[in-house]
């Protein structure tokens, strides 16, 4: 597309293509946190629909563009109006009430994303420049000849229009303060009934309070430290005064971890097709040196396309099957530590595919892709779960996820040009693995950054019944919950 717009010369086409691709992420980075804050005030559903509508407008502008700068403006507008990544993460977090369901829930978004990365390029590659690729169907002088990239953008806009319609009619608002039962008028008309006392098998076992239970227990004793903040006269503080601190140290550290992960993950996606297609240069002069990799693998575009399609299948399998299994087996935190510490391996091994013989090249490529997908796909959902846990209050979850989306978009903006520059330097010095190793070094930084993340375990309790004859032996009174009361004069705030 950049070549058809005649911006720069042929040798600089990759640079302008990078500018075009990065413009969306840069605009998204500037507005992601703002959209998250807006969703905390007006709800998730309106912001999500606005984001879809903004992307639809962006697609139409790009489709009807006749020069690079108009297309760039449309792409940037789409990024400015789209805060959907953070909002969707927030909605998933609010929909899931049970911790044991979080791994599967948070794996849905990257799963759908992977499907989009397969379908999207297929639509673009099939329907771009239809007057040239399908002259028997489209006139060489018609509207699609004048706007060669309009058709794929129209198809994507139609899909988005369907999505907006379904969202408007069927999407349920998930903001906890905007539920139909959260207003005082609704609460005044609700009643609560005490269940019948039951006995039997359901009352004889220890029960995890996170799970649904049926029946009642002879005794339940749970103590929890609480904090109250009131005014000096004893009255409760207003919501505007007692608003929780949004960006705590734990939130900041997890956002940093997400940014580091996004950066080196994006460099892998950017470098892989370049390395696969780069000319293969013989290393017969010094074949044993690990620093003598002057080129790539020399594969054709068609071969690279097949590899990327199989890579999508590997990603889908990892998301649907492996991630839930490992998250249930190791738990969220241990899974996060494992994939973060081992992630650098995925980068250091790729350059040495150039040393493999032709008969082993494709198996080696798929092994590298399987290792990378395993670490990458397991890391992203657990980071989202940890971010949800770190949010100080559900009322600011949108702003927290918006900050994470902005940080991720900023890293996606800078990673391709930096990785491309390092690959060019590596080509000049005869070691194209330089860019891969630098990405591995960033992943190592992410592994050490784990030490800065404070890990707070979820509170769980097991309740067991007490035999009736033992009640008289128990003290009549128990320690009350510990309550910390902070008195602060209104004038001090």
């Amino acid at each position: 597309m950049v070549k058809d717009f005649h911006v720069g010369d042929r040798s600089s086409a990759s640079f302008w293509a990078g500018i075009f691709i990065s413009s969306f992420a840069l605009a998204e980075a500037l507005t992601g946190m703002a959209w998250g804050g807006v969703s905390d005030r007006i709800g998730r559903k309106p912001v999500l629909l606005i984001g879809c509508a903004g992307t639809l407008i962006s697609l139409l502008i790009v489709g009807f563009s006749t020069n690079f700068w108009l297309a760039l403006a449309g792409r940037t507008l789409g990024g400015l109006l789209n805060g959907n990544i953070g909002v969707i993460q927030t909605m998933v977090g609010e929909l899931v009430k049970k911790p044991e369901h979080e791994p599967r829930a948070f794996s849905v978004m990257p799963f759908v994303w992977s499907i989009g990365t397969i379908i999207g390029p297929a639509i673009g590659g099939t329907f771009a420049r239809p007057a040239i690729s399908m002259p028997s169907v489209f006139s060489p002088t018609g509207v699609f000849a004048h706007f060669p990239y309009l058709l794929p953008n129209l198809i994507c806009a139609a899909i988005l229009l369907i999505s907006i319609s379904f969202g408007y009619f069927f999407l349920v608002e998930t903001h906890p303060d905007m539920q139909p039962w959260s207003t005082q008028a609704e609460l005044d008309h609700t009643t609560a009934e005490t269940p019948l006392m039951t006995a039997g098998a359901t009352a004889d076992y220890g029960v995890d309070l996170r799970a649904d239970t049926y029946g009642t227990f002879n005794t339940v004793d749970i103590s929890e430290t609480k904090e109250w903040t009131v005014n000096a006269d004893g009255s409760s503080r207003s919501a505007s005064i007692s608003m929780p601190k949004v960006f705590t140290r734990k939130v900041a550290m997890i956002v940093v971890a997400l940014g580091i992960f996004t950066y080196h993950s994006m460099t892998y996606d950017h470098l892989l097709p370049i390395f696969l297609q780069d000319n293969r240069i013989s290393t017969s002069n010094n074949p044993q040196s690990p620093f003598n990799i002057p080129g790539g693998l020399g594969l054709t575009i068609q071969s690279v396309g097949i590899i990327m399609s199989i890579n999508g299948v590997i990603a889908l399998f990892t998301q649907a099957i492996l991630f839930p299994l490992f998250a249930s087996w190791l738990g969220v935190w241990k899974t996060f530590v494992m994939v973060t510490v081992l992630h650098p391996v995925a980068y250091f091994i790729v350059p040495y595919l150039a040393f493999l013989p032709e008969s082993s090249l494709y198996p080696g490529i798929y092994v590298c892709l399987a290792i990378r997908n395993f670490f990458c796909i397991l890391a992203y959902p657990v980071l989202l779960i940890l971010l949800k846990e770190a949010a100080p209050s559900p009322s600011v979850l949108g702003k927290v996820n918006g900050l994470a989306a902005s940080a991720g978009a900023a890293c996606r903006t800078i990673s391709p040009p930096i990785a491309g520059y390092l690959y060019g330097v590596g080509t000049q010095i005869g070691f194209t693995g330089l860019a891969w190793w630098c990405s591995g070094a960033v992943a190592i930084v992410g592994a050490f950054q784990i030490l800065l993340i404070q890990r707070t375990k979820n509170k769980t309790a097991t309740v067991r019944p007490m035999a009736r004859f033992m009640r008289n032996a128990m003290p009549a009174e128990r320690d009350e919950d510990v309550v910390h009361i902070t008195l602060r004069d209104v004038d001090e705030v």
Side-chain angles (χ1 to χ4, degrees), residues 325-346:
L325 293 176
F326 271 85
S328 300
W329 175 42
L330 293 177
V332 172
W333 176 252
K334 290 182 179 179
T335 301
F336 169 64
V337 173
M338 178 192 69
V339 297
T340 304
V341 171
L342 297 179
H343 215 135
V345 175

Side-chain angles (χ1 to χ4, degrees), residues 301-313:
I301 296 178
Q302 292 76 14
S303 298
V304 173
I306 294 174
I307 290 173
M308 300 308 292
S309 297
I310 296 177
N311 181 53
V313 175

Side-chain angles (χ1 to χ4, degrees), residues 190-231:
T190 59
T191 59
E193 297 181 357
T194 303
L196 294 175
M197 299 291 291
T198 60
T202 57
D204 292 335
Y205 294 97
V207 178
D208 189 340
L209 292 183
R210 296 173 301 173
D212 289 333
T213 60
Y214 303 92
T216 57
F217 304 91
N218 295 331
T219 181
V220 176
D221 187 5
I222 301 176
S223 298
E224 181 179 351
T225 301
K226 303 176 183 178
E227 293 188 5
W228 294 352
T229 304
V230 298
N231 297 320

